[in-house]
Amino acid sequence: MTEMTIIPGSPFKAPPLFEGRHLIDGVWTKSADAEQSARKSPAHGALVSTAALGGRADAEAAIAAARKTFDAGDWAFSSGASRAKILLKTADLIERDLDRIAAMETLESGKPISQAKAEIAGAADLWRYAASLARMIHGDSHNSLGADMLGVVLKEPIGVVSLITPWNFPFLIISQKLPFALAAGCTAVIKPSELTPSTTCILGELLIEAGLPAGVANIVLGFGDPVGEVLSTDPRVDMVSFTGSTGVGKRISAAASGTLKKVSLELGGKNPQVIFPDADLDQAADAITFGVYFNAGECCNSGSRIIVHEDVAEALTDKVVALSRKVPFGDPLDPATQVGAIISPEHMAKIDGYVQDAVADGAKIAIGGAALNVDGASPQFYQPTVVTNLRPDMPIAREEVFGPVLSVLTFKTLDEALSLCNDAAYGLSAGVWSKDMSTCLDFARRVQAGTVWTNTWMDGYPEMPFGGVKESGQGRELGRYGLDEFLEVKTVQMRIGDTRQPWVSSE
Ligand code: NAD
């Protein structure tokens, strides 16, 4: 495998085992039945954490604590300023413990340590941003309903929220939900992925240290069945905020419909980038390489399919292949590594299945196309892979591979490019590369996606809302829309003075 840039495994000394427990009503607890799961580092094969494996009783106890705490009203009616103070303190503590959190994130997920550190720093910024929103919650007033009437629209916390998160960005994604829910005055029950539970527990420790009252944020560890299902069906929960696969999102939506809970879903994507002949091909090639290999492609925003104009398809593909050779893949604990390990052997098999099926159906491999052996590390790595000669109907060109695999399609006209983008079940994000701003704007307005990037890829800011259309989800996170998701609207109409005409005559 001489054509790749491989960072070899360094001697691995496992850190002390992290022992995750549930956080219920301010108390760290084992499972009611004492069940536990264990997690090995996908890059090193070594045991790094154990976690209480929750059952129905643990999930119900956590929901009861969140419900009791919300209904008591102390948190829900606390001032935005006092909630902001706790969120700001949490941000400081996240920064204080950044190295510890990042190390655990890398060990459980396989992502590069430099990237994990950047994600934890970005998460701290989200807690600060949400703190600013906590002091800006306000509704509307209506002063033109007549001389004797004043109408007020209140924004109030929606209540008890279930927050269910995936394994690909464990700390960042809970930080896209929890501080916004807390800023709104909600109480929460959190279920991290069974593959990456520990950094959510560390966050629980920091929340206690920051002074968050017991019962406001509860954590239950375990599998989707039963913990996630209880969190989606229990009538004491008012809203479910879920990030994960589209398949599970649909199940949650169906489960939550039994009690008509609000559901907010951040799901999968098969995000296209369209490259016009007048684009800066070097910049586009670099962004495409980043977009497909970032987090080993295990990213909802992965730029996993490019739709490139016929005139520049070969030149652009050659540039991406050349850059692919230079991307440092390998031991995620090495600061030089930019792409680490795949989350599990089952997921490796899924990625490879897409590639091999495409090859059997006539696709060509421009680079990669198989597992990658890294000295001294477990073999859970996949080569940087570029696949060409595709038809738009092939699964690899339409479905979420969730690995370091780029699909290349071509087009002749803007209309054709748009129909390739929009003929899709997903609609999370899309990108366009052209020096002509009117081409970019025309594309941005007509493409069906929650986020559009022009001449860039995967930038994000706490201020900018994020979410998908079609089967990529519903609702938005981040920005002030991210706060609104956790707020309910209440109408209050107040008669001024004794002016009401009797409905029934008392005479
Ligand atoms: P997943 O859907 O398998 O699991 C996500 C979470 O749901 C986990 O905590 C899991 O235990 C839980 N779960 C599983 N079954 C459940 C059920 N029946 N009821 C309730 N909860 C259940 O997803 P994953 O494999 O952890 O993550 C990868 C997926 O997440 C990809 O599809 C990716 O695109 C998506 N994702 C989306 C975004 C986004 O913002 N749009 C961000 C990151 C990841």
Side-chain angles (χ1 to χ4, degrees), residues 113-256:
I113 187 71
S114 55
Q115 183 193 316
K117 286 182 182 177
E119 283 172 21
I120 308 307
D125 193 36
L126 288 172
W127 283 82
R128 288 211 174 93
Y129 175 69
S132 73
L133 294 179
R135 305 189 68 163
M136 310 241 289
I137 298 169
H138 61 84
D140 269 330
S141 59
H142 290 257
N143 198 27
S144 57
L145 302 174
D148 60 351
M149 180 61 68
L150 179 65
V152 178
V153 181
L154 303 180
K155 293 272 184 87
E156 53 184 31
I158 200 162
V160 174
V161 297
S162 293
L163 309 178
I164 304 176
T165 58
W167 46 259
N168 55 347
F169 298 96
F171 200 86
L172 193 63
I173 288 177
I174 191 59
S175 298
Q176 292 183 188
K177 299 180 187 294
L178 183 59
F180 294 82
L182 297 181
C186 295
T187 61
V189 182
I190 303 152
K191 193 203 90 62
S193 166
E194 58 279 9
L195 297 174
T196 53
S198 299
T199 55
T200 300
C201 294
I202 296 176
L203 178 62
E205 292 171 9
L206 301 184
L207 288 169
I208 293 170
E209 191 179 340
L212 189 75
V216 174
N218 305 273
I219 301 171
V220 190
L221 309 176
F223 291 107
D225 179 11
V227 178
E229 289 188 6
V230 175
L231 263 49
S232 313
T233 49
D234 193 294
R236 293 169 292 179
V237 171
D238 300 295
M239 172 184 174
V240 186
S241 171
F242 168 79
T243 299
S245 59
T246 293
V248 172
K250 288 178 182 174
R251 280 185 68 171
I252 286 177
S253 191

Side-chain angles (χ1 to χ4, degrees), residues 17-51:
L17 206 63
F18 185 91
E19 294 180 52
R21 296 189 182 190
H22 314 299
L23 178 60
I24 300 175
D25 214 2
V27 180
W28 293 103
T29 58
K30 293 182 175 176
S31 289
D33 58 8
E35 283 285 308
Q36 274 199 328
S37 64
R39 178 70 180 148
K40 288 182 177 173
S41 163
H44 311 93
L47 184 67
V48 290
S49 65
T50 60

